[in-house]
Amino acid sequence: MGKGPGLYSDIGKKARDLLFKDYHSDQKFTVTTYSPTGVAITSTGIKRDGLFMADVNTQLKNKNVTTDIKVDTDSNLFTTITVNEPAPGLKTIFSFRVPDQRSGKVEVQYVHDYAGISTSVGLTANPIVNFSGVLGSDVLAIGSELSYDTKIGEFTKYNAGVNFTKADLVASLTMTDKGDSLNASYYHIVNPLKNTAFGAEVTHSFSTNKNTLTLGSQHALDPLTTVKARINNSGKAHALIQHEWRPKSFFTISGEVDTKSFEESAKIGLGLALKP
């Protein structure tokens, strides 16, 4: 269990990862190699709707500075520079994309035993300013996040949430979509030795008066193989099996079944991380 309330993005993260992480909807292939000097090069290919997209990411680390440079098949250059701990609890992130001159952004994160703050601002004449803050402890955290568009002079996002954490469970309640959606999630560790966990998420939309319920679970067949499954109230069921065939190298197969129409579509993903 981490110390302090963390950041706003940590609220409900355990349940989201259990219910949605690693489920691939496309064919995906990723290979990561590490040089003796610690440089990491990741190549990713995705086949989506008959189209193939790829990118290459290079990560360099020098003391507390991490630089990520990514080039994709559309000739876009993405650069992210992260400075960890220039001061205790502080992290600074600078990112931009070429040729988009309006994509530059600076983000500052500060994590304390009783607070977590993150703020970012776009490097443009009329930037979008984002702010999130959390107060509390590693047991109970209450926070909110805001986005303000200086060009139109309006708040484009304002959300709030609360997170309750114990040794074997995490429960959260968030208000999103400018107060239009209420989301409640729950994550429970049933068997720590087998990494067996259960999660649930229910979302209510006030504008449409509709509810969405998603249930999911995971279980480790052995120390290297994990299975996950989820189903929602629309009748769509998903399942995956993930095997770590060598350190930091994963092979994942996921599938989807629409139980109401009995239509099947398989999604296959392959993730590899190779160390020389």
Side-chain angles (χ1 to χ4, degrees), residues 9 14 17 21 23 37 63 84 132 135 139 146 148 171 174 180 194 223 236 244:
S9 58
K14 283 286 190 179
D17 286 350
K21 187 178 180 181
Y23 288 97
T37 58
K63 296 182 180 179
N84 290 290
S132 67
L135 297 175
V139 176
L146 305 169
Y148 183 77
T174 58
D180 182 64
K194 289 292 186 178
K236 290 187 177 181
E244 185 176 8

Side-chain angles (χ1 to χ4, degrees), residues 18 28 49 54 68 73 80 92 96 113 118 124 161 183 191 215 227 229 240 259 262 267:
L18 172 63
K28 183 178 180 181
D49 298 329
D68 290 274
T73 50
T80 303
T92 303
F96 63 91
D113 290 348
S118 176
T124 62
N183 180 288
N191 186 342
L215 303 175
V227 293
L240 71 79
T259 59
F262 297 100
K267 285 88 176 179

Side-chain angles (χ1 to χ4, degrees), residues 14-248:
K14 283 286 190 179
R16 289 196 304 272
D17 286 350
L18 172 63
L19 295 173
F20 305 107
K21 187 178 180 181
D22 295 325
Y23 288 97
H24 300 306
S25 58
D26 307 294
Q27 296 181 12
K28 183 178 180 181
F29 180 79
T30 302
V31 177
T32 302
T33 60
Y34 298 86
S35 72
T37 58
V39 177
I41 300 177
T42 301
S43 301
T44 302
I46 301 176
K47 185 178 181 182
R48 178 180 300 163
D49 298 329
L51 299 177
F52 182 78
M53 297 170 288
D55 60 66
V56 177
N57 183 87
T58 302
Q59 185 180 85
L60 306 95
K61 293 184 179 181
N62 182 17
K63 296 182 180 179
N64 65 331
V65 180
T66 302
T67 303
D68 290 274
I69 301 173
K70 183 173 71 173
V71 180
D72 64 15
T73 50
D74 293 327
S75 300
N76 292 310
L77 174 66
F78 302 83
T79 302
T80 303
I81 302 173
T82 304
V83 182
N84 290 290
E85 298 281 337
L90 192 66
K91 177 187 288 187
T92 303
I93 304 170
F94 172 65
S95 62
F96 63 91
R97 183 179 66 190
V98 177
D100 187 356
Q101 299 178 354
R102 299 174 299 174
S103 62
K105 184 175 69 172
V106 174
E107 180 179 358
V108 177
Q109 299 177 358
Y110 176 69
V111 178
H112 185 267
D113 290 348
Y114 303 103
I117 298 173
S118 176
T119 182
S120 67
V121 59
L123 301 179
T124 62
N126 302 108
I128 295 177
V129 180
N130 300 290
F131 173 83
S132 67
V134 179
L135 297 175
S137 64
D138 55 1
V139 176
L140 181 65
I142 301 174
S144 64
E145 64 174 352
L146 305 169
S147 288
Y148 183 77
D149 191 332
T150 59
K151 184 176 182 179
I152 61 176
E154 294 181 2
F155 285 98
T156 57
K157 179 172 65 175
Y158 37 88
N159 302 325
V162 58
N163 209 58
F164 177 75
T165 305
K166 295 294 287 183
D168 61 343
L169 65 89
V170 180
S172 67
L173 183 68
T174 58
M175 185 76 73
T176 60
D177 298 331
K178 298 181 180 180
D180 182 64
S181 297
L182 182 65
N183 180 288
S185 64
Y186 176 77
Y187 172 87
H188 182 212
I189 301 175
V190 179
N191 186 342
L193 297 179
K194 289 292 186 178
N195 196 28
T196 304
F198 172 81
E201 180 186 75
V202 59
T203 301
H204 175 75
S205 174
F206 294 100
S207 60
T208 62
N209 198 31
K210 290 184 178 180
N211 297 317
T212 302
L213 174 64
T214 305
L215 303 175
S217 63
Q218 69 178 25
H219 177 73
L221 300 178
D222 56 54
L224 302 177
T225 308
T226 300
V227 293
K228 294 173 63 175
R230 77 167 191 249
I231 189 170
N232 60 25
N233 61 328
S234 298
K236 290 187 177 181
H238 300 74
L240 71 79
I241 181 168
Q242 185 175 77
H243 179 69
E244 185 176 8
W245 61 282
R246 58 179 295 174
K248 297 183 180 180

